Amino acid sequence: MEKKDLYNYILGIADNPLILGQRLGELCGHGPSLETDIACTNIALDLFGQTRSYFQYAAKIKGENATEDSIAFLRTEREYTNVLLVEQPNTDFAFTITRQFLFDVYHYLFLEQLQKSKDVNLSAIAHKAIKEVSYHQRFSSDWIKRLGDGTDESKKRMQNAVNDLWRYTDELFHTTESDEAMIAEGIGVDVKKLKNIYYSRINKILEDARLEIPESKWFQKGGKHGLHTEYMGYILSEMQYMQRTYPNMTW
Amino acid sequence: MSEDQIKNLEAQFEARIARDEKIEPKDWMPEKYRQTHIRQISQHAHSEIVGMLPEGNWITRAPSLRRKVALLAKVQDEAGHGLYLYSACETLGVSREELYDQLHTGKAKYSSIFNYPTITWADIGAIGWLVDGAAIINQVPLCNTSFGPYARAMIRVCKEESFHQRQGYEIMMTLANGTPEQKEMAQDALNRWWWPSLMMFGPTDAESVHTAQSMKWKLKRKTNDELRQQFVDQTVPQAELIGLTIPDDDLKWNDKRKSYDFGPIDWDEFWQVVKGHGPMNKERMNARVSAWENGEWVRDAAVAYADKQKEYKSKQAV
C-alpha cells in the first residue's frame, strides 16, 4: 500500500468537514434565531472535531513534522480536495440548510461504510462521527421540511437553493486514484455504490417537503482534484490569515 | 386592593428578601421589583448576544484548529447564556420578541464593552481574561440574588464564564511567552481593553442611580467601586505573572489599604459609548437587526409549518 494514497485519502475525507465547518463558523451570531444559531455552531464544532481526528492521523502518516495545523492551514488551494458543495456560500438560510442537508445525507451513508474500514483508525473515527452526523442529518432534514412546506416565500427560497446546489451533488460519488487504491485495499469506501440510495433518500425528503426534484443532468466537478470554485480562495485567505502572516509560531 | 393591603404585601415581601428567601415568578412582587428585574436580566441577556459578535469575528481566522474549536464553543456558550437569561426574563411576563424589539430600537442597553472592535487575535485572549474576568466579579454575587430564576441561571453562567476566563488568560500567556511580535500583540490588546474593562463596573458610587435599591433587593451586594477595586487587585498580579504591563502610570500598591491605587477613568469616553457613539455601536446594532430581519421568513415558515402539522393531525383524528 502506498503511504501517499492513504494520506491523500484521509485529506479527501477531512477537507469536507473542514470547509463546511468554516462556512458554518461565518454564521455564528447571525442566525435567524438563537436556537438555530446554537444548532449550527454545534454542527460546526462536530465537524471541526472530526477534522482534527483525521488530520492528526494524517500528520502521523506524513511525518516530517506535519501537524493537524500545518495540514489544515498551510496547503495551497489546489491541494485542498473537498467537494465543491461544501464551499458554497451562505447566500441565505435556505442555501445554508440545503447545503447542509445535501452533505449530511451523503456524510451519513459514507460513515456507515467507513466504520467497516480495515484501517482501525478510520473505522474508530467513523464510529464516533456517525453519532454526530445522525443528529446533523435529522436537524437539516427537519428544516428542509419546515421551510419547504412552510410559507410561499420559504418554499420559493428553498426551491431556488435546491435547484442551485443540485449541480454539486453528483461529485460526491466520484473517485480519485487514491480513492480507488484505498477501495482496493478494503480501507476506502466505494462511494459510487452509495449514489442510488443517496438520491432515493434525498428525493423522499424533498417530496415530503413538497419541493420539486430538479431534473437537470448537468453537474459540476473538480473539488476532489483541487479545482475549486472562485469562493475557495477567499475561504482560504481568511482561514489561513494568521498562519500565513505569522509563520512558525505557537498559538 | 387597598393601599394598606399593598403596604402589607410589600412589608411581607421585603421581609422575605431579608430572610434570604427566593422570590419565584408566581409570587406577588412590587411592580418596581418586576420592572427592575426585566431591565437588568434582559440587559444581561442582550450583552451575551451582542457579545457573540466581537468574538465571532475571529472564528474564521483563529490561528489553530484547537483555538478555533475553543472559540466556537465559547461563543456557543454565550448564546446558551442568552437563551436561559431570556427565559428567566420571560417568567416576569415579557416575551422574547418584546425584549428583542427593545434591543433593536435602542430602548434596552447592553454591556458597552462590546462596542469596541476585536482587531487582532490577542483581543480574543484579552476579552476572555479581562472582560469575562470582570463579568464574573459582577456576576458571582448574583448567584445569591433574590429572584429565583435569575439566581439559578447565574450559577450556570458563572461556571462557564470562569472557564472562559482561564481560556482567555491562557491565550494571553501563550502570546506573552511567544515571539516578540506575539508579545507585542498581547500588550497592545491589554492596552486597549484595560480601561474599558474597568468601565464595565459602571459609574462611581456617587453617580450610580440604581445602587441603593439594588442592594436592598440583593441584585447587588457590593458597590461598583468595590467591585472595580476587586478586579484591579485580582488582575494586576496576573498581568505581572506573564510579563505584561497594565497601561496605568498611577497604578501603585497601597500598603495601608492592602489594595492597588489606580489612575482616573475617562468617564467622557464611558458616556460616549453608553450613549451609542462608541467605535462599534452602529455595527453591532446593524448586525443584530439584520440577523433578525433576514431570519423573519425562516421563523414565519416554522410557525406556518407547525400550524399545518397540527391541522393535519386533527384531521387525521376525525
Side-chain angles (χ1 to χ4, degrees), chain B residues 146-163:
Chain B
S146 61
F147 186 54
Y150 193 30
R152 288 188 289 272
M154 289 319 297
I155 290 173
R156 195 165 153 190
V157 170
C158 281
K159 273 187 197 154
E160 292 178 350
E161 292 295 0
S162 93
F163 180 70

Side-chain angles (χ1 to χ4, degrees), chain B residues 204-233:
Chain B
T204 55
D205 296 346
E207 304 266 328
S208 177
V209 281
H210 300 298
T211 296
Q213 180 67 79
S214 295
M215 295 281 261
K216 204 164 131 200
W217 285 337
K218 296 176 178 172
L219 258 174
K220 250 187 189 172
R221 301 242 160 171
K222 289 182 183 170
T223 68
N224 294 354
D225 287 333
E226 284 169 335
L227 293 168
R228 190 165 13 243
Q229 183 70 58
Q230 188 184 332
F231 175 75
V232 172
D233 290 345

Side-chain angles (χ1 to χ4, degrees), chain A residues 22 29 35 238 243 251, chain B residues 60 63 67-68 96 182 288:
Chain A
Q22 184 71 9
E35 287 81 355
E238 217 171 311
Q243 290 273 346
W251 302 96
Chain B
T60 57
R67 294 294 185 200
K68 196 190 281 284
R96 219 204 286 181
Q182 285 175 304
R288 282 316 313 159

Side-chain angles (χ1 to χ4, degrees), chain A residues 109-137:
Chain A
L109 291 169
F110 175 81
L111 290 172
E112 241 178 359
Q113 298 307 313
L114 191 66
Q115 293 182 109
K116 301 174 200 158
S117 171
K118 276 189 187 160
D119 183 301
V120 288
N121 288 301
L122 289 180
S123 166
I125 297 172
H127 271 95
K128 184 168 178 284
I130 198 164
K131 294 186 195 112
E132 298 164 348
V133 173
S134 146
Y135 161 75
H136 303 173
Q137 183 175 236

Side-chain angles (χ1 to χ4, degrees), chain A residues 4 85 138-139 142 149 164 212 246:
Chain A
K4 198 169 177 302
L85 176 66
R138 202 167 64 230
F139 174 80
D142 284 351
D149 195 16
D164 195 277
E212 281 166 31
Y246 305 96

